[in-house]
Amino acid sequence: MHGGNHWGGSFEMVNNGDHRHNGHDHDATTTDDEKSRNMDQWDRASLHHLQSQRYQHLDQTQQSWLLGPPEPKKKKYVDLGCVVCSRKALKWSLWSFLIAFLVIALPIIIVKTIPKHKPRPPPPDNYTIALHKALLFFNAQKSGKLPKDNGINWRGNSGLSDGNTTSDVKGGLVGGYYDAGDNTKFNFPMSFAMTMLSWSLIEYDHKYKAIGEYKHAKDLIKWGTDYLLLTFNSSATKINQIHAQVGGSRNGSSEPDDHYCWERPEDMDYPRPVQTLSSGPDLAGEMAAALAAASIVFKDDTAYSKKLVKGAKTVFAFARDGGKRTRYSRGNSFIEPYYNSSGYFDEYMWGSAWLYYATGNLSYISLATNPGLSRNSRAFFMIPDQLALSWDNKLPAAMLLLTRFRIFLNPGYPYEDMLRMYHNTTTLTMCAYMKQYGVFNWTRGGMIQLNRGRPQPLQYVSNAAFLASLYVDYMNATGVPEINCGPDFISLDKIRSFATSQMDYILGKNPMKMSYVVGFGNKFPRHVHHRGASMPRDKIKYSCTGGFKWRDTRNPNPNNITGAMVGGPDRFDQFRDVRSNYSYTEPTLAGNAGLVAALVSLTSSGGHGIDKNTMFSAVPPLYPQSSPPPPPWRP
């Protein structure tokens, strides 16, 4: 009898020794493998159907007992350890990351790995091109033993015996610069040229660096200041003489000298007298300005900068010596016809301003703002001749330099009254440069006649362009958009346009369609009044009068003196390219210094604006320093 099977179907009792199934006997030796093979012969589909029917009669608990846990359901969430997120969200996140990588990261990686090609810098403007050339003029004017990298292949060592008769100068007066187309070394215009170069380098050092001329310009300045330090006892604190000039000539002389002879500097075989002066406030004031300005340029070379400052102090003390206040050129037939000084109070103002910036000594700024200087120099009279900067007249430059002090450092009492008047006069000078006010005549071609129609006008034009351009940069640095010219307000753009128009005139925008800077443009003077440039490199030494054939030939110069700015056209815009007419065709050291300063102020290379701080690096704080706060209170 079988017990009831409550789970469905019936039980079978199976003994160890007797196996029966549905009335069939099986051999006791039948193995489990054989049973499995017999089961395989059954209809698998029928078996599966039977099991499914039985399985459906069971509840969930019973099903789990017989068949184990049901097949797990697919999870909707993913456990990431610290975060549990939706599987769908994770899937979208991964796809989004992949797409972002392909769209953003992959292009960046590709761009980073591709070799970079530096973009070409913008082409230099005309002012930069002309500036490169204008600096080369100074290389062509060097006297002494030239460096190997001087770069002027038709020049060589010269003037190696200069000053060998002076007992107080060891090694003589070798070095410096020849002034113009002759072979004379004049301290007065040479000092002015070095001051102008230094000023432009201090204000626009970033531009010089951008065009690769910073070291070159510094070398040119040092060549000049090294020579100036030779011309007096710069190691002393008090001196009683200056060697003011080497070479030169007297008017109308037929003796062999720098003007009568036409010889290369390398071939000079005539006497070169030295002019030694025991009085010269104007010359000494300008030399002090040059040395003081250069000391700021070389502030990173501490030893040389200190040497320049010491020399500037010494020579300025000579200038201020009450018993030595006779104009340096007075009565000297080697100087007066060429670089005659009209006064020395402007050099007092100019030199003391530079010495204050170089030393920070208040005695110098007190002198620069002394009412006696402006009164004796007639600085506030607005005389047209005194509004034109030149090697002789420093007033407009000195007042602009002191205006810089006022607008950037605002020193206040006791300097404010005089500084305000300098500032106002400088503004009126800028107004006078405007054609609409008729202070100066202008040529029909657009050149301002700052020297009232006299010869060699371009040196005055370039100096005025520099002052105007620099003034605009000062005003821009303080946020002033325009200036008051009486009934009108003149924009800074108009003042800058004056500067650019005058420089453009010099560079070829004139009725002659000629550049007055040698080597710039296609048309420029070819018969420059210059001994070295006019004589070929034929290894023949021509005598004093043997060189006349090169002076008088109508052929162009065999050597272009690149960068030289000639004297310029007449008041009718006409220019004669004739070597013998020096009024038109002779370049000068002082003229080219103004040209360089104007060009660097106007070029866009290296950006715009000025270096506001370097000028004042030696100036101490003008006001007492505030005391430190008290320590925190503690019980």
Side-chain angles (χ1 to χ4, degrees), residues 238-291:
K238 184 176 178 61
I239 59 174
N240 57 17
Q241 66 177 21
I242 296 175
H243 302 299
Q245 180 177 320
V246 177
S249 73
R250 291 184 173 94
N251 261 350
S253 171
S254 59
E255 296 293 324
D257 58 29
D258 279 329
H259 284 177
Y260 181 75
C261 296
W262 196 268
E263 290 184 350
R264 304 182 188 94
E266 295 79 6
D267 297 338
M268 293 183 297
D269 56 1
Y270 46 79
R272 287 172 58 76
V274 175
Q275 304 303 311
T276 303
L277 308 177
S278 59
S279 176
D282 31 24
L283 170 63
E286 184 56 66
M287 290 174 63
L291 298 174

Side-chain angles (χ1 to χ4, degrees), residues 46-64:
S46 299
L47 180 61
H48 178 73
H49 179 69
L50 178 62
Q51 289 175 343
S52 297
Q53 287 181 337
R54 291 180 177 179
Y55 180 77
Q56 291 174 359
H57 290 291
L58 304 179
D59 60 26
Q60 289 184 353
T61 303
Q62 293 169 338
Q63 292 173 15
S64 66

